[in-house]
Amino acid sequence: MPKQEIIISKDLKQDVEGAIARCQHDRLFVLTDSTTLRLCWPLVSAFPCFKSAQMITIGDTDENKTLDSLSSVWTALQKGGATRHSLLVNLGGGMVTDLGGFAASTFKRGMAYINIPTTLLSQVDASVGGKTGINFGGLKNEIGVFNQATSVILSSEFLRSLDMKNILSGYAEMLKHGLISDEQSLAELLRFDLEELDFAELGRLVSKSVGIKERIVEEDPTEKGIRKALNLGHTAGHALESMALEKGRPVLHGYAVAWGLIGELYLSVVKCDFPKERLRQTVQFIKLHYGDPLLDCKQYERLYEFMKHDKKNEGDSINFTLLGNVGDIRINQQATKDEIFEMLDFLREG
Ligand code: GLY
């Protein structure tokens, strides 16, 4: 899989113009969602490169990450005369970059695409690393392919329109990157003042965070081994996210990941000797900013069921990524049902 170019933008106009010019194309399409069209498209719409672009807009929440939306994008590309030599620019959050990446990867067996992620979550995670796809049959990201964008352009200009919940949602993935990387990266994330946001400093932390993900993806683009490090917090996190959705009280992905990190760091202490002091510091930070998942013991069986159906599992066992220390990654770890319930107890009471 060719390596994608990650551009930490200092000059959005110059960087977008440059990336589009470098990717030769006959026609240009821009995919966005209704909210991004209103809040972010005005920041780039006057750029000369977009003068002849054809716009495609889809609905703006994860419920729109469907086969129907995908089909509407394929139809718009077809009607707009797209060829295998056309270029799709995905402007938006993870829903747009995932769905748009999949639409581009499959249209006429694949055309090039560029991601311009506009949320913190998509900047530090979804837009980087070539995972594309849609939700299907009630399961998230069930259908998709690995195929990297030609370029990913990251600009902190877009982050200014985000509310605090969406900043926190992305920040959870940054915490995960710190935990799988090194003590210093984790310490600066735990020190960062989320009450008084310094966007320049946030931009620096984003760039460092993406660098951590980029190195892992480069080593293992299709998640056969070390890329599983990026699943830290996600086995428990996805279960919490799915259960919240089922109860009609959805939570943002990053909130579920933050709580999933608490659970899986606890498992790391029990099974891999992760230092208790690092667990304490991380739990304190997460509880302060993300609150509690408000669990009830009656929900444990359902959460366990969700974990059993996680697509990261192999065979019948539930697969976790755990840590022996900050940066000491232990992939393919299994836990018994009792250990998992103990983890949920910690998450509930901890
Ligand atoms: N979101 C985790 C990964 O890209 O592998």
Side-chain angles (χ1 to χ4, degrees):
M1 209 184 307
K3 185 175 175 326
Q4 63 190 180
E5 172 192 41
I6 302 206
I7 300 164
I8 310 293
S9 181
K10 295 272 180 297
D11 179 333
L12 190 56
K13 183 174 176 193
Q14 190 179 313
D15 294 326
V16 171
E17 292 280 340
I20 290 181
R22 281 192 298 284
C23 187
Q24 290 210 346
H25 56 276
D26 53 8
R27 287 190 178 80
L28 180 66
F29 295 81
V30 175
L31 175 69
T32 191
D33 64 77
S34 45
T35 301
T36 309
L37 185 68
R38 191 164 47 82
L39 296 177
C40 301
W41 174 239
L43 298 180
V44 298
S45 58
F47 295 176
C49 58
F50 289 131
K51 209 164 155 226
S52 59
Q54 302 185 52
M55 295 299 292
I56 308 173
T57 307
I58 53 177
D60 70 347
T61 54
D62 205 64
E63 290 105 73
N64 291 292
K65 203 171 160 184
T66 60
L67 195 53
D68 280 347
S69 294
L70 176 66
S71 167
S72 76
V73 176
W74 282 329
T75 303
L77 289 170
Q78 198 174 48
K79 285 197 172 146
T83 71
R84 193 179 279 178
H85 306 288
S86 300
L87 172 63
L88 179 66
V89 172
N90 298 315
L91 177 79
M95 193 270 286
V96 167
T97 58
D98 279 11
L99 186 145
F102 188 51
S105 304
T106 45
F107 187 79
K108 296 203 190 279
R109 299 210 175 92
M111 56 190 268
Y113 72 97
I114 287 175
N115 283 340
I116 309 180
T118 56
T119 64
L120 186 58
L121 185 64
S122 60
Q123 290 198 358
V124 296
D125 192 20
S127 69
V128 177
K131 279 189 179 173
T132 72
I134 56 164
N135 302 334
F136 187 74
L139 296 171
K140 283 173 70 77
N141 304 323
E142 181 75 347
I143 310 289
V145 294
F146 285 103
N147 181 35
Q148 311 241 19
T150 308
S151 308
V152 182
I153 303 166
L154 306 177
S155 167
S156 49
E157 281 191 41
F158 296 115
L159 303 181
R160 294 178 192 273
S161 62
L162 292 179
D163 59 19
M164 197 53 206
K165 282 192 152 186
N166 277 287
I167 293 281
L168 281 170
S169 186
Y171 205 78
E173 296 286 357
M174 294 169 69
L175 284 175
K176 176 195 79 180
H177 289 158
L179 282 160
I180 60 174
S181 180
D182 62 286
E183 291 276 1
Q184 202 224 329
S185 299
L186 178 65
E188 60 185 2
L189 287 163
L190 295 178
R191 256 196 329 261
F192 182 64
D193 187 354
L194 282 163
E195 310 295 324
E196 295 281 329
L197 280 182
D198 171 348
F199 282 94
E201 176 62 1
L202 181 60
R204 191 187 69 78
L205 294 174
V206 165
S207 145
K208 204 167 160 185
S209 196
V210 168
I212 294 167
K213 174 159 184 180
E214 208 186 349
R215 281 192 293 280
I216 291 177
V217 170
E218 220 177 307
E219 206 177 310
D220 177 24
T222 55
E223 202 169 298
K224 300 284 187 289
I226 193 62
R227 186 168 181 164
K228 293 181 188 177
L230 298 171
N231 296 334
L232 179 70
H234 282 66
T235 303
H238 277 153
L240 291 164
E241 192 177 4
S242 303
M243 194 179 71
L245 193 65
E246 188 176 68
K247 288 196 311 194
R249 290 203 294 273
V251 291
L252 291 176
H253 176 70
Y255 277 67
V257 169
W259 295 323
L261 286 174
I262 295 184
E264 293 181 20
L265 288 185
Y266 173 79
L267 267 190
S268 299
V269 169
V270 173
K271 297 182 72 72
C272 307
D273 260 344
F274 184 80
K276 285 198 176 118
E277 178 54 17
R278 290 284 164 278
L279 170 72
R280 194 197 57 76
Q281 284 173 324
T282 314
V283 169
Q284 190 183 34
F285 183 90
I286 291 175
K287 293 219 163 181
L288 176 67
H289 294 289
Y290 299 81
D292 277 298
L294 303 177
L295 275 187
D296 176 326
C297 321
K298 292 197 222 58
Q299 296 162 335
Y300 287 11
E301 284 291 346
R302 187 67 188 127
L303 285 167
Y304 183 71
E305 279 304 306
F306 277 120
M307 287 183 229
K308 265 180 38 189
H309 290 106
D310 194 303
K311 67 172 164 307
K312 301 184 295 294
N313 295 337
E314 286 166 38
D316 288 334
S317 54
I318 298 174
N319 208 329
F320 289 90
T321 293
L322 301 178
L323 297 177
N325 205 331
V326 177
D328 176 4
I329 299 156
R330 312 279 176 89
I331 62 170
N332 298 330
Q333 300 292 310
Q334 270 90 48
T336 62
K337 189 171 179 181
D338 282 351
E339 285 168 333
I340 290 174
F341 277 28
E342 204 185 295
M343 167 184 88
L344 294 174
D345 278 340
F346 181 78
L347 193 48
R348 187 168 56 85
E349 297 158 359

